[in-house]
Amino acid sequence: MTATPSSRRYSPDLTPPWKRSTPPPEVPAERDLVVEEVTTGFCGAVLRCEKTAEGLTVTLEDRHRKVRVFPMTPGGFLLDGRPVTLVRPGAGTARGPAVPARTASGSVAVPGARARVALPSRIYVEGRHDAELVERVWGDDLRIEGVVVEYLEGIDDLPAIVREFAPEPGRRLGVLVDHLVPGSKESRIAEQAAGEHVLVVGHPYIDVWAAVKPSSVGIAAWPEVPRGEEWKLGVCRRLGWPADTRDAWRRILASVDSFRDLDPALLGRVEELIDFVTATP
């Protein structure tokens, strides 16, 4: 008997095969895997998975150390921009090649993230070396946040520079100053420049070179240089380095791989500036 159209058997899913979507791949929620939750846009590294009365949950930590818990729903996360279903480690398919979980600053890495359009807010630092050191450690974070760092070649004219910048809500200015200690010339300038939308912070060292840990550079300590002697050349002389400050700086910068190579007196101040200029008005 020839089958009539009404007697043919169909799959319960009447969607043509070429229109059927492929289920998102399952990825084990291993610690430090960086994903983005699709409904909130929260991006963070996996801390743990837990079984609750409502089902499986995953705890994520973002670059600001904020922690949130999400249900492990099918296709509920993005990995490198593609939807995935997180599963408990050992329960899913093998994940792709390992990627760094943290940036040089210690923040959660976001593989494949594009740089944001630059914010109106800015961070100013004193000199080229300051800018290069900030870029080396915080560069990934700054690009994701859309923060531009510029150097001033000194801060003697900082109050005028701030007035020209015209800070306002949504257009903040953060300034990093060398040798910001009570009673110094730098502290007096900082007081004149500071304002509601301007944050001036600094480290105690006469130059940002000294904010790099001596052990990272391979020296016992940064040498004492008498007042009145050019500090960088004095350092080179006492360490037996050639009297070439550019070459010396290349050596110092090359010794910095992450935040662990910097003194906390600088680390905290840079993080403070990033938080200030990226704060929601």
Side-chain angles (χ1 to χ4, degrees):
M1 178 179 177
T2 303
T4 63
S6 60
S7 66
R8 291 175 186 154
R9 293 183 179 181
Y10 288 92
S11 165
D13 183 1
L14 299 180
T15 306
W18 62 88
K19 288 188 177 180
R20 294 174 189 168
S21 59
T22 303
E26 294 184 344
V27 176
E30 298 175 351
R31 186 177 177 86
D32 285 338
L33 175 72
V34 177
V35 293
E36 178 182 341
E37 203 276 329
V38 295
T39 60
T40 63
F42 186 89
C43 185
V46 172
L47 291 181
R48 59 184 174 274
C49 296
E50 295 177 298
K51 187 175 183 180
T52 69
E54 290 76 27
L56 292 175
T57 64
V58 60
T59 302
L60 304 180
E61 179 190 40
D62 74 1
R63 65 174 296 271
H64 299 294
R65 304 294 192 266
K66 293 180 181 177
V67 174
R68 293 187 62 177
V69 180
F70 297 99
M72 293 167 64
T73 54
F77 300 86
L78 299 179
L79 177 62
D80 294 338
R82 298 181 178 181
V84 297
T85 296
L86 293 184
V87 296
R88 299 182 75 177
T93 57
R95 53 182 282 201
V99 295
R102 301 282 173 175
T103 66
S105 72
S107 300
V108 174
V110 185
R114 295 181 179 180
R116 286 183 57 187
V117 175
L119 297 174
S121 300
R122 291 287 187 273
I123 291 178
Y124 287 170
V125 297
E126 280 205 47
R128 181 186 293 272
H129 294 179
D130 304 72
E132 290 176 346
L133 187 59
V134 169
E135 162 63 26
R136 189 169 184 87
V137 176
W138 287 274
D140 290 338
D141 309 69
L142 294 170
R143 279 181 284 280
I144 290 175
E145 296 290 352
V147 177
V148 174
V149 175
E150 301 177 10
Y151 68 91
L152 302 174
E153 296 186 340
I155 64 162
D156 288 351
D157 297 325
L158 184 59
I161 291 170
V162 170
R163 288 193 297 271
E164 182 179 356
F165 183 84
E168 60 183 8
R171 181 180 167 82
R172 292 182 161 194
L173 180 61
V175 185
L176 180 68
V177 177
D178 297 341
H179 197 230
L180 190 60
V181 296
S184 66
K185 176 193 74 173
E186 290 81 1
S187 67
R188 292 190 292 272
I189 293 173
E191 289 176 3
Q192 297 172 32
E196 181 180 2
H197 306 297
V198 181
L199 176 64
V200 183
V201 299
H203 57 77
Y205 303 110
I206 193 168
D207 191 275
V208 76
W209 286 21
V212 180
K213 291 181 179 177
S215 57
S216 297
V217 184
I219 59 177
W222 289 105
E224 295 288 336
V225 177
R227 185 183 293 251
E229 183 178 353
E230 206 284 318
W231 189 82
K232 291 177 181 176
L233 286 175
V235 166
C236 292
R237 293 189 189 100
R238 286 160 179 79
L239 291 177
W241 295 352
D244 183 338
T245 57
R246 290 177 298 180
D247 182 67
W249 173 241
R250 284 193 291 267
R251 172 188 288 195
I252 295 166
L253 188 62
S255 71
V256 177
D257 294 319
S258 76
F259 71 98
R260 295 180 180 85
D261 296 306
L262 302 182
D263 190 275
L266 176 64
L267 289 174
R269 303 295 74 74
V270 175
E271 294 284 352
E272 190 176 352
L273 289 175
I274 295 174
D275 289 343
F276 179 77
V277 299
T278 57
T280 303

